[in-house]
Amino acid sequence: MPIIGWALEPLMRLDRAGARGLVSDLMVSSPLRRQAAFATAAEILKHGQPALDALCAPFGLATSDVAVGQMLRQHRARDVIGALYGVQPSALPGGYLRALLRVQEARAEGAGIEPFAEPTAYRRLFEIYTQDGHGLAAQALRYVGRLRALHLRAVDELDSVLILPEVLQGMHGPDTILAANRLLELLRVSVPSADDIALKAALRQSLGRDEPLRQFGCRMLERADRLPVPDLPPLAGLRVLASAAEVEQFAEEMSNCAASYLVEVAIGLKLICAYDFADEAGATVPLAILLAPMTDGGWEIDQIAGKNNEGPAKPVLRAALQRLMSIGLRVSGPAPGGVYDRRMAELLGHHPGYRYGDTLADALGEPDRDLPGSGGGGAAKRLAGIEEALRQIVEAA
């Protein structure tokens, strides 16, 4: 197999400087001998001539490119690596050598054939196996299967709770390492009653499934004692649900699907509120309020529903919206009394359900319609508004 990647340049340098045929010989060498050559190339890249001196000294050879080429060709990989890192070959951990045979980056055709994507991974792997061969990092690397440079980075950067072979297998880039750590931070804030032992036990229970981190996170959030929710301005009857228990109890009382939004609440994509709306007669109507975040830090009213997810009566809905908007919550849609008219939109082929039909904005505009008891005049007002808008367009043209 051809030698590719960062290791080719330092090995070609040795080949051209006196170790003639070194690269050609390595192309047909065993995987372990190739890995020893890649580890040597990594040391040459980092330390230059001192790396060659350290490599030749244990064999009693004068430092030269020819001598280095001879060692890489003729001596055991164990001897070369021992000399490279300054240890007796017999003291070299067998786990390190076996790990080298599992090196296989994403595009490699087979294990042990190509080098790590990062040269520094060779020495870091050696340090892990020699400094704490039975520690979390070594154990995770021992059973991860195909070994990549990213796995070496992951055992250094992941929280200790997450250092497991199955978690390493799911790491696809530096961003996934950061995301896994942020997930654990979220769980520690949301479930303060769970210590590291409990977190690791829960994680292990999820390892036999696809996407273990997702399973682990969702399972733990079902126990959330403190969801990371913001404080809203006070409004009589309005209560933000700030724990999984509160959400689940509310979902049971209202016979709705509020509990299915737990993960979205935890990551800041939704906010669930219980609202005991008191009408003008003093009767209380329980409502479920679902809010969605806006980029400026505000919140938009996404849904309002009564028990069994039934829509509240239009007068209740409109009054509830007005009170919620009085504390800064917003409603997406056209401004009441503007150019937009739902029935006119239907005539033009704009189906109401596509965007604004039966929406909260539609409920806000309800009194302006020419319905029985509405007082009339709504259509005339909208027509006058349309005429005025058209007049301004013509004048501007």
Side-chain angles (χ1 to χ4, degrees), residues 259-342:
S260 66
Y261 289 101
L262 264 176
V263 171
E264 291 175 89
V265 172
I267 61 177
L269 290 181
K270 297 292 182 184
L271 191 61
I272 302 173
C273 300
Y275 186 23
D276 292 329
F277 172 79
D279 63 16
E280 295 179 356
T284 299
V285 181
L287 297 174
I289 313 295
L290 186 65
L291 305 179
M294 304 188 72
T295 56
D296 63 357
W299 290 89
E300 176 189 2
I301 304 171
D302 192 351
Q303 297 178 37
I304 297 182
K307 286 189 175 181
N308 300 309
N309 282 330
E310 293 181 357
K314 285 295 179 67
V316 171
L317 178 58
R318 184 171 189 274
L321 285 170
Q322 290 174 336
R323 293 183 194 177
L324 292 169
M325 291 171 66
S326 72
I327 63 170
L329 301 180
R330 306 177 193 178
V331 177
S332 175
V339 174
Y340 178 82
D341 177 80
R342 178 180 172 186

Side-chain angles (χ1 to χ4, degrees), residues 1-3 26-27 29-38 112-113:
M1 293 290 294
I3 294 176
L26 290 174
M27 288 173 61
S29 295
S30 66
L32 189 55
R33 189 176 295 278
R34 287 169 69 103
Q35 289 299 317
F38 298 150
I113 303 299

Side-chain angles (χ1 to χ4, degrees), residues 116-138:
F116 276 125
E118 297 293 334
T120 55
Y122 283 99
R123 180 168 282 274
R124 183 65 189 120
L125 182 65
F126 173 78
E127 292 170 349
I128 289 172
Y129 274 93
T130 53
Q131 294 174 5
D132 191 6
H134 299 286
L136 287 175

Side-chain angles (χ1 to χ4, degrees), residues 161 164 187 194-207 212 215-217 219-220 223:
V161 170
L164 292 169
L187 296 180
D195 58 13
D196 283 1
I197 295 175
L199 287 169
K200 197 143 195 173
L203 176 56
R204 289 185 181 279
Q205 292 175 0
S206 303
L207 295 182
Q215 298 288 345
F216 163 61
R219 175 177 295 181
M220 290 302 300
R223 300 166 45 188

Side-chain angles (χ1 to χ4, degrees), residues 189-192 221 223-231 239-248 250 262 265-266 271-274:
V189 170
S190 301
V191 196
L221 287 174
R223 300 166 45 188
D225 305 312
R226 186 173 59 207
L227 293 169
V229 298
D231 292 327
R239 177 169 57 94
V240 177
L241 305 184
S243 73
E246 289 181 347
V247 172
E248 290 170 0
F250 181 67
L262 264 176
V265 172
L271 191 61
I272 302 173
C273 300

Side-chain angles (χ1 to χ4, degrees), residues 157-159 162 176-186:
E157 297 182 7
L158 280 174
D159 188 285
L162 301 173
T176 57
I177 298 174
L178 178 61
N181 282 335
R182 294 194 66 181
L183 170 61
L184 196 62
E185 291 173 6
L186 172 65

